[in-house]
Amino acid sequence: MMRPLSILVKAWLACSLHRMEQVCKLSLLSFVTWATLGLHAMERQLWDANWRFALADSANMAQPTFDDTSWRVLNLPHDWAIEGNFYVKNPSGAVGGALPGGVGWYRKHLTLNDSDTLSRYVLHFDGVFMNTSVYVNGHLVGIRPNGFIGFGFDITPFLNKKGGDNVVCVRVDNAQQPNCRWYTGCGIYRHVYLLRSSEVRVAQWGVQVLPTVKGHKATVALNTTIESFAKQNRKLSVRQSLYDAEGRRVAQSVTGCVARMGKTTVNQRLNVSHAKLWWPNAPHIYKVITELMAGREVIDRDTTTMGLRTIAFDATTGFSINGQPTKLNGVCLHGDLGCLGTAINEDALYRQLRMMKEMGTNAIRCAHNPPAPELLNLCDTMGLMVIDEAFDQWRVGKTEFDYALFFDKWAERDLTDMVLRDRNHPSIVLWSIGNEVLEQWNTTKKQGVDLDDVNILLNNARDPVRLAADKGLSDNAKLTRWLADIVRRNDPSRLITAGCNEVSPNNHLFKSGAIDVVGFNYHSKQVANVPKNFPRKPFLMTESVSALQTRGFYAMPSDSVRRLPGKRRPFIDPSFLCSSYDNSCTSWSATHEATWDVVKHTPYCSGQFIWTGFDYIGEPTPFNFPARSSYFGIVDLAGFPKDAYYLYQSEWTMKTVLHLFPHWNWMQGQEIDLWCYYNNADEVELFVNGQSRGVRRKANNHQYHVMWRERFEPGTVEVVSRKGGQVVAKRAINTAGQPHHLRLTADKNTLRANGRSLVFVTVEVVDKDGNLCPWAENEVLFSLEGSATIAGVDNGSPFSLERFKDNRRKAFFGKCLVVVQAGNEAGAINLKAKSIGLETAEVKIQMIDK
Ligand code: GAL
């Protein structure tokens, strides 16, 4: 039988609480209050547990009688590709992560004991990659090619209701590859819900919340769509109640209506007298409870999270929130969670966002597709602003089997659903209708390029003769308008952008007039021409930087910039390493410092979205296989920050930063460049084995680091920062001796026994005094005691072909990572790490009740 709220949802809420506590007390309060009031969707059950899965394909698998007893039993979310081996011939190519694809089936029984013959059932998927077909009792209920959008099917007509057994079968087809320019994962990789309602209900994504704020007052317009399957008209009322973060009801409205078969919309308005605003550093959350009532009986209930804020993009002053000019200091993120693949996990997502927030990021661009709903929920409560993006291609594909094949038939539906699903999130400040779509230029069908070169070719300058003519609207401009109109129809409250790597105003997208905020990908040198080329238009760097860095590796001299891969193709460098000084980037981009300098000093630039916050699987530019994940991240795939992290922290936060790099293990007499990022100080002095090597100061506000060039001698390098002669901070790095033991650092010491929570354990190879051995590559073997499993291992290397699902990992520049996933029993768990020739280490984690 259905329960009001599944145990797992409760557990998720509980662990959200646990996590939120660290960032945002306000949202903590709101969650506690909501949970205790019991105000939640009554008949929404998380339907993730106990599916059967096989990586195989046969039409018989849709039949209820099919014998699946030998299939593996698993809990969703699930990504089968991450469980595979890297292989050069996997059809995704290195660009897609070199992991397997294929066709997989999931099956699950649904036993109903529902005496109400009128109740309706919807099976909702937050995201399945890709080409999904859903069957119930052998009947095809529906399909959805797009792998990034959520979708639901009303399965009622296919069910045996009275005490009957039903079989739900889901076929997932990711066999035709390449179909994407990055790793997408395979399978039901987001949550699944089963919803039960009466024959009249609030439609899916049927509540639209449109707040307007004026001073201390706010008005919230609410448009509620009711969906009825009843033959007779029903007299109902809609009760809207608005609660603040402390759980106080601050406004209510009840409106009568007649629900006819099909859809009926009810419009209401709530007034708030003391509006508490949603700010990035104080994200005040309100909740709207929508109740559909027949007389005094509540027949459906929906909860919407919302925030009160104003946003504006201005052609002269850039972006502002609540009237406060604010740079969007953003990062682009793809959807994978490193060694966990794309299988969504709230703890892993939270870890990524927390690290970004601590770096000073205030905004995320979901590249290049609608994200998991959990990402938006977290951004709402953590105060991160979001660009929600729909597509990486329109009609003309970038890879052979990509979404261009489905665009004509599905684009309107997919774009509409993205906006309907996401439009109430206060975190979203802008919609993007596309990333670097080829319709920026004149197009002919079949424009896709060779997979190995896709990102390189797409980023090189295009032929000016393929730009829009000065008069008349081209087909591509009309297509732009069509898509923008779909967005505006469903959400009049936000502006629209697109990530464009053609920065001429004769780009067909710009020419359409439908792009509200001019979005440049790269081309920071053209930013100065924006007011001339795009008069009165707001401007944003939708994508920037594309630095190429390997954590722990440094190419000297540090003051000459390497632009890779250069013109020679294929580009071969057998080291597969890129430098972590800010001296390495792609040929179409610029370094971190050079880009930030433009953004920081250009008032009309609303901000930038750096490519990327985290490394991701796929797109190993400038290399090819065995490289199989990106070098672009400010943080590596395992979640270890590269040095650029501290550049941004020093610029974007008030926290005192003093970051000296690289390590201090070199050859005697070797000339080494020592860089230091610092803030809150006037000067920094370097000491090598106690001897001063000089004081350095940033000459002006265009300088972002200071540097010394020193000959290596073993011992200690130390920096001291001072302000007005007073010491602000000190940092020292010692030359490490031989690897001696392992140091384990867990990111938490208690874990909820809910089967999903994660602890991330950093493993460092250190010398006898605890100094990190920066060149160490020792292989580490993990074992666990207690109710937990290893969810994944990694070391941040973009070219390691070791498996992500394993109990061993080599260190990479001294470090690796093991991710431990909670089981379901409380008690202690003990993680042991061993490596030949090194002292063993262990860490204890206490599992507490869910
Ligand atoms: C951009 C593209 C991104 C990524 C990046 C690499 O052109 O939008 O998806 O490919 O280049 O530099």
Side-chain angles (χ1 to χ4, degrees):
M1 252 323 269
M2 302 278 298
R3 278 161 291 152
L5 183 68
S6 84
I7 288 169
L8 278 172
V9 171
K10 275 190 191 152
W12 185 78
L13 271 179
C15 84
S16 301
L17 281 178
H18 178 66
R19 290 189 310 251
M20 292 310 147
E21 201 168 0
Q22 299 157 48
V23 224
C24 175
K25 293 239 161 66
L26 275 177
S27 55
L28 171 73
L29 272 172
S30 77
F31 272 107
V32 171
T33 316
W34 291 105
T36 49
L37 281 176
L39 293 172
H40 39 62
M42 280 198 300
E43 305 275 349
R44 179 180 158 93
Q45 184 186 354
L46 189 65
W47 218 54
D48 281 349
N50 292 323
W51 286 76
R52 285 192 181 266
F53 169 73
L55 189 51
D57 189 24
S58 150
N60 292 337
M61 291 171 180
Q63 295 312 315
T65 49
F66 181 84
D67 181 6
D68 60 13
T69 45
S70 63
W71 287 18
R72 172 177 161 200
V73 178
L74 52 75
N75 295 336
L76 305 176
H78 172 236
D79 170 6
W80 80 69
I82 203 72
E83 299 167 351
N85 293 320
F86 297 106
Y87 180 42
V88 65
K89 290 193 176 152
N90 276 335
S92 64
V95 160
L99 287 166
V103 176
W105 281 80
Y106 297 82
R107 288 168 57 97
K108 177 164 165 149
H109 287 255
L110 166 61
T111 309
L112 294 176
N113 188 7
D114 189 347
S115 55
D116 184 352
T117 52
L118 296 179
S119 49
R120 312 269 332 171
Y121 289 85
V122 169
L123 199 52
H124 177 84
F125 297 83
D126 276 350
V128 184
F129 208 92
M130 63 177 285
N131 274 319
T132 310
S133 314
V134 177
Y135 299 83
V136 172
N137 297 331
H139 303 282
L140 179 64
V141 173
I143 62 162
R144 194 69 173 226
N146 188 323
F148 298 114
I149 194 68
F151 55 92
F153 297 119
D154 190 315
I155 58 173
T156 319
F158 308 98
L159 293 172
N160 309 313
K161 280 235 286 224
K162 292 218 175 90
D165 177 48
N166 301 276
V167 185
V168 175
C169 307
V170 183
R171 180 178 187 270
V172 184
D173 183 350
N174 196 6
Q176 285 205 307
Q177 298 202 35
N179 56 42
C180 198
R181 297 186 302 111
W182 60 92
Y183 174 77
T184 58
C186 296
I188 309 182
Y189 70 104
R190 293 181 185 162
H191 292 296
V192 177
Y193 297 90
L194 182 63
L195 295 98
R196 173 176 174 263
S197 70
S198 74
E199 59 175 350
V200 186
R201 65 189 176 206
V202 176
Q204 185 181 40
W205 306 318
V207 179
Q208 179 181 28
V209 172
L210 284 168
T212 40
V213 184
K214 264 214 181 114
H216 294 300
K217 294 192 173 157
T219 310
V220 185
L222 290 151
N223 305 320
T224 307
T225 304
I226 300 166
E227 186 176 30
S228 173
F229 295 85
K231 292 201 181 73
Q232 287 90 19
N233 294 349
R234 297 278 299 272
K235 270 186 102 175
L236 300 172
S237 57
V238 177
R239 181 164 70 192
Q240 303 282 14
S241 312
L242 180 68
Y243 291 83
D244 68 12
E246 284 75 39
R248 279 186 299 254
R249 195 176 72 207
V250 294
Q252 192 170 62
S253 153
V254 182
T255 306
C257 67
V258 176
R260 298 188 168 79
M261 196 179 208
K263 290 190 174 166
T264 310
T265 299
V266 178
N267 310 112
Q268 287 159 284
R269 195 167 283 273
L270 298 172
N271 294 318
V272 185
S273 47
H274 301 285
K276 293 179 191 148
L277 300 186
W278 189 94
W279 290 94
N281 57 1
H284 195 96
I285 292 289
Y286 286 86
K287 291 209 174 171
V288 177
I289 306 293
T290 306
E291 289 165 303
L292 195 57
M293 305 180 58
R296 302 182 73 168
E297 189 198 349
V298 176
I299 58 170
D300 199 6
R301 179 179 284 149
D302 203 22
T303 304
T304 309
T305 303
M306 56 154 260
L308 300 174
R309 89 277 181 279
T310 57
I311 47 172
F313 286 87
D314 184 273
T316 317
T317 53
F319 176 75
S320 62
I321 180 157
N322 301 324
Q324 178 89 43
T326 304
K327 276 277 183 234
L328 291 167
N329 291 330
V331 294
C332 300
L333 290 180
H334 272 319
D336 76 64
L337 298 168
C339 61
L340 307 176
T342 51
I344 198 72
N345 180 287
E346 295 75 11
D347 281 5
L349 197 56
Y350 175 71
R351 174 180 182 246
Q352 285 198 342
L353 297 177
R354 176 178 50 76
M355 287 181 72
M356 291 295 105
K357 183 102 185 161
E358 283 171 3
M359 182 175 87
T361 306
N362 62 10
I364 305 290
R365 171 176 177 232
C366 306
H368 302 294
N369 51 262
E374 290 75 17
L375 181 132
L376 298 174
N377 294 338
L378 284 170
C379 288
D380 286 348
T381 52
M382 294 171 78
L384 286 161
M385 296 175 277
V386 173
I387 301 182
D388 201 354
E389 188 156 77
F391 305 117
D392 190 47
Q393 62 284 103
W394 293 350
R395 305 191 67 210
V396 183
K398 297 180 179 175
T399 58
E400 196 176 353
F401 299 107
D402 67 21
Y403 185 74
L405 297 179
F406 307 106
F407 184 87
D408 286 357
K409 190 150 175 232
W410 287 93
E412 180 166 8
R413 178 78 192 273
D414 288 335
L415 184 58
T416 304
D417 284 359
M418 175 182 101
V419 178
L420 292 182
R421 187 194 74 161
D422 295 347
R423 62 189 171 178
N424 297 326
H425 285 280
S427 55
I428 297 179
V429 295
L430 202 56
W431 302 110
S432 164
I433 54 174
N435 174 62
E436 297 185 356
V437 295
L438 293 167
E439 283 80 356
Q440 293 172 99
W441 301 275
N442 298 339
T443 49
T444 49
K445 247 332 203 186
K446 273 265 162 228
Q447 201 142 0
V449 292
D450 176 62
L451 180 62
D452 287 347
D453 278 342
V454 63
N455 293 308
I456 290 146
L457 292 181
L458 292 175
N459 272 301
N460 285 329
R462 312 298 299 212
D463 187 352
V465 302
R466 295 177 57 225
L467 289 170
D470 278 336
K471 290 206 181 99
L473 270 191
S474 65
D475 284 352
N476 288 345
K478 286 183 196 156
L479 183 57
T480 312
R481 282 199 177 180
W482 177 70
L483 291 166
D485 285 347
I486 294 172
V487 174
R488 288 198 185 98
R489 219 168 30 238
N490 291 292
D491 177 33
S493 76
R494 292 180 184 84
L495 298 181
I496 294 169
T497 192
C500 289
N501 55 340
E502 172 56 74
V503 297
S504 159
N506 283 0
N507 170 334
H508 291 262
L509 272 59
F510 294 143
K511 247 344 224 181
S512 74
I515 302 294
D516 303 312
V517 177
V518 171
F520 278 16
N521 282 10
Y522 310 98
H523 297 89
S524 48
K525 291 210 171 104
Q526 300 294 320
V527 170
N529 297 325
V530 166
K532 177 169 68 101
N533 289 342
F534 300 94
R536 294 176 301 285
K537 278 280 189 185
F539 169 72
L540 173 68
M541 294 203 69
T542 31
E543 193 174 311
S544 60
V545 182
S546 271
L548 297 166
Q549 304 185 321
T550 310
R551 172 188 55 81
F553 177 74
Y554 303 90
M556 285 171 254
S558 63
D559 45 7
S560 74
V561 176
R562 288 128 182 96
R563 291 183 193 280
L564 305 170
K567 291 216 161 49
R568 202 158 36 89
R569 304 287 301 134
F571 171 72
I572 294 167
D573 170 352
S575 76
F576 291 98
L577 298 168
C578 290
S579 175
S580 256
Y581 291 115
D582 191 11
N583 65 345
S584 170
C585 62
T586 60
S587 39
W588 53 87
S589 65
T591 61
H592 286 287
E593 291 187 9
T595 313
W596 171 232
D597 195 49
V598 172
V599 175
K600 179 178 177 176
H601 295 290
T602 309
Y604 57 80
C605 176
S606 296
Q608 65 168 333
F609 287 81
I610 297 161
W611 192 266
T612 45
F614 270 72
D615 274 337
Y616 51 93
I617 307 173
E619 207 181 12
T621 310
F623 306 111
N624 210 311
F625 196 84
R628 46 62 181 168
S629 61
S630 85
Y631 292 72
F632 296 118
I634 300 170
V635 176
D636 78 11
L637 198 67
F640 303 137
K642 303 177 191 174
D643 299 290
Y645 187 90
Y646 303 97
L647 159 69
Y648 291 110
Q649 205 170 47
S650 72
E651 287 287 307
W652 290 353
T653 77
M654 303 301 285
K655 282 177 226 165
T656 294
V657 174
L658 180 62
H659 179 70
L660 175 69
F661 61 103
H663 55 79
W664 201 234
N665 272 65
W666 303 95
M667 290 192 312
Q668 186 70 39
Q670 195 179 344
E671 197 162 73
I672 303 302
D673 291 348
L674 284 150
W675 282 36
C676 186
Y677 295 128
Y678 72 93
N679 64 2
N680 301 342
D682 318 316
E683 60 181 33
V684 183
E685 186 167 6
L686 174 77
F687 297 87
V688 178
N689 291 333
Q691 274 188 353
S692 174
R693 299 298 164 101
V695 173
R696 299 278 190 274
R697 294 181 186 86
K698 295 179 200 167
N700 51 43
N701 63 359
H702 294 278
Q703 191 180 337
Y704 299 96
H705 72 270
V706 290
M707 186 190 103
W708 296 260
R709 187 160 283 166
E710 296 295 323
R711 295 225 170 258
F712 174 71
E713 52 184 78
T716 303
V717 279
E718 185 178 31
V719 275
V720 179
S721 64
R722 294 189 206 94
K723 193 179 176 90
Q726 301 291 311
V727 172
V728 174
K730 290 183 177 185
R731 295 285 177 271
I733 306 174
N734 301 319
T735 305
Q738 287 303 308
H740 175 268
H741 63 274
L742 297 168
R743 179 166 58 218
L744 302 188
T745 313
D747 71 344
K748 46 179 103 75
N749 42 29
T750 56
L751 202 56
R752 286 187 187 271
N754 60 9
R756 291 204 37 80
S757 294
L758 301 176
V759 53
F760 290 81
V761 183
T762 300
V763 183
E764 292 167 297
V765 180
V766 295
D767 72 3
K768 65 177 179 21
D769 300 318
N771 298 303
L772 179 78
C773 300
W775 298 101
E777 293 191 339
N778 307 56
E779 187 177 35
V780 186
L781 190 68
F782 303 104
S783 59
L784 262 177
E785 285 156 19
S787 169
T789 51
I790 293 176
V793 287
D794 195 5
N795 57 16
S797 162
F799 54 88
S800 164
L801 299 182
E802 297 163 284
R803 291 169 50 78
F804 283 132
K805 298 279 179 192
D806 212 338
N807 63 350
R808 61 185 65 222
R809 195 66 166 192
K810 279 189 179 156
F812 183 64
F813 292 109
K815 293 186 183 190
C816 63
L817 173 83
V818 54
V819 187
V820 175
Q821 180 161 358
N824 291 298
E825 286 158 35
I829 53 175
N830 193 16
L831 173 76
K832 277 201 179 128
K834 290 186 182 170
S835 185
I836 294 171
L838 303 184
E839 275 179 20
T840 299
E842 59 182 61
V843 64
K844 281 201 171 40
I845 295 146
Q846 196 57 39
M847 301 257 291
I848 54 175
D849 275 338
K850 25 188 157 171

